[in-house]
Amino acid sequence: EAEVAQSPRYKITEKSQAVAFWCDPISGHATLYWYRQILGQGPELLVQFQDESVVDDSQLPKDRFSAERLKGVDSTLKIQPAELGDSAMYLCASSLASGGPDTQYFGPGTRLTVL
Amino acid sequence: GNSVTQMEGPVTLSEEAFLTINCTYTATGYPSLFWYVQYPGEGLQLLLKATKADDKGSNKGFEATYRKETTSFHLEKGSVQVSDSAVYFCALSLGVSGGGADGLTFGKGTHLIIQP
């Protein structure tokens, strides 16, 4: 069964350092999402891509976060500089197409700890 | 704005008990509604969904009915098993057909513990 791949699974960094997370969606899925899940909370959407274009980044803290999906396949989320409050699980999800109630398939996540 | 409120956990039940996890929502439009489940050590996965009022989503013995008049989407199961122990998230999406933003807005999650 096809899955969303994410790496690394765990990342420990010091504040003010740069970190990057990678996501490879299910083959053929045009839509890709990045969510952040703080411990004990539900995931919150950071950014949504349709192919290589950003559809929604209204909740992305653009002063320190950036995301790209250059060829419309895999994606990278970057934080620079990392802050203590960025410690969370970063989840990637993909779906066949956006704009309808298509199922979003989630990857295992990257757990970030900022010291 | 859009928001989802679900009952606080943990919810602890005995095996074969009846389960209800309450979920209510606030939305600026006409949302689709979802229940996602996260089993220990695993990623989020869709449990069931409903896209319009009075629709009933069902899967693995779980059911939820989209109630527009009460803005609710409560999750129910008639007889729970130990294997149902997990964290359950209610979510909504305002995506409409034809493309556009359709990210999920999640509740905080309800941790369900089933004891043998």
Side-chain angles (χ1 to χ4, degrees):
Chain A
E1 182 177 313
E3 296 179 342
V4 175
Q6 290 187 247
S7 67
R9 293 291 306 275
Y10 304 92
K11 180 69 177 179
I12 300 174
T13 191
E14 294 184 344
K15 65 179 183 178
S16 79
Q17 296 299 304
V19 293
F21 314 129
W22 177 80
C23 172
D24 191 14
I26 293 172
S27 178
H29 281 195
T31 310
L32 185 147
Y33 312 80
W34 283 101
Y35 291 85
R36 177 171 61 183
Q37 184 177 17
I38 295 170
L39 189 63
Q41 305 289 319
E44 296 178 314
L45 180 71
L46 292 174
V47 61
Q48 176 186 344
F49 289 92
Q50 175 71 20
D51 299 311
E52 66 276 7
S53 300
V54 173
V55 174
D56 182 3
D57 64 355
S58 58
Q59 300 303 310
L60 188 71
K62 299 181 188 63
D63 57 335
R64 297 184 301 107
F65 286 65
S66 64
E68 61 183 15
R69 194 183 183 199
L70 293 176
K71 297 183 179 179
V73 181
D74 59 338
S75 175
T76 301
L77 177 71
K78 297 179 182 177
I79 308 175
Q80 182 173 17
E83 297 181 352
L84 295 177
D86 296 331
S87 294
M89 179 76 84
Y90 290 83
L91 299 169
C92 180
S94 69
S95 68
L96 271 174
S98 71
D102 283 322
T103 298
Q104 293 185 25
Y105 296 86
F106 284 81
T110 296
R111 181 168 296 284
L112 173 66
T113 301
V114 182
L115 302 176
Chain B
N2 306 315
S3 65
V4 174
T5 302
Q6 54 183 114
M7 59 193 294
E8 297 286 330
V11 173
T12 303
L13 295 172
S14 298
E15 207 167 19
E16 299 184 4
F18 185 86
L19 168 70
T20 300
I21 300 178
N22 291 336
C23 171
T24 57
Y25 67 88
T26 302
T28 54
Y30 197 158
S32 297
L33 301 174
F34 306 80
W35 278 100
Y36 276 79
V37 60
Q38 189 168 34
Y39 297 103
E42 299 185 16
L44 275 168
Q45 53 186 278
L46 179 69
L47 181 59
L48 53 84
K49 66 182 181 184
T51 59
K52 60 183 188 293
D54 300 325
D55 267 3
K56 178 185 285 187
S58 61
N59 186 25
K60 299 181 180 181
F62 290 89
E63 293 183 340
T65 301
Y66 189 140
R67 300 289 188 198
K68 189 168 182 238
E69 64 276 14
T70 55
T71 62
S72 64
F73 193 53
H74 304 322
L75 183 68
E76 296 182 337
K77 186 175 184 183
S79 176
V80 293
Q81 305 301 312
V82 172
S83 58
D84 294 326
S85 298
V87 182
Y88 293 80
F89 293 92
C90 186
L92 67 83
S93 171
L94 282 170
V96 297
S97 59
D102 66 347
L104 293 164
T105 298
F106 285 89
K108 291 185 177 182
T110 302
H111 186 193
L112 175 65
I113 301 169
I114 307 299
Q115 297 178 333

